[in-house]
Amino acid sequence: GASCTICRDGAEVVEKFRTVAPGEYDAILMDVQMPLMDGGEATRQIRALPDPALVKIPILAMTANAFEEDRKSALEYGMNGFLSKPINIEELIAALSSLLAG
């Protein structure tokens, strides 16, 4: 029952999110390594938006880098969670359920 919007890079994520109504999206699945603007910078820019309702959206980092320092970096950027690739669908559902419940 979920739907998604796919963006090519971090700059597109930020631009799209800048123009949405609060509540239009429930969460962002953010690839950490993207062209033009990486997921960390995109997250920083989303967290700096002037609308407090948009700033609070849960952002889940998704990356092939599964080291503890990568997890820490994602959280320092302002992401709320971290999944390493390849994505396990049960882990994705659990992470989204946790983020959206709290």
Side-chain angles (χ1 to χ4, degrees):
S3 63
C4 67
T5 301
I6 298 172
C7 297
R8 293 180 303 259
D9 55 58
E12 187 177 342
V13 173
V14 172
E15 188 55 39
K16 180 164 291 294
F17 200 69
R18 201 173 278 182
T19 61
V20 301
E24 188 170 335
Y25 292 99
D26 295 316
I28 296 175
L29 304 179
M30 184 75 77
D31 194 339
V32 173
Q33 298 176 346
M34 292 185 286
L36 296 180
M37 180 187 298
D38 66 29
E41 182 57 28
T43 298
R44 279 192 203 136
Q45 289 193 24
I46 289 169
R47 297 299 187 223
L49 291 172
D51 187 332
L54 295 177
V55 169
K56 294 178 184 178
I57 189 162
I59 300 176
L60 184 60
M62 304 178 82
T63 181
N65 300 330
F67 298 108
E68 185 58 30
E69 64 252 20
D70 299 307
R71 181 182 306 277
K72 288 180 184 177
S73 290
L75 298 176
E76 288 171 2
Y77 286 128
M79 297 178 187
N80 304 89
F82 180 94
L83 288 178
S84 59
K85 296 177 187 176
I87 300 300
N88 174 301
I89 193 67
E90 289 83 18
E91 290 175 5
L92 174 61
I93 291 169
L96 285 173
S97 294
S98 175
L99 288 174
L100 297 174

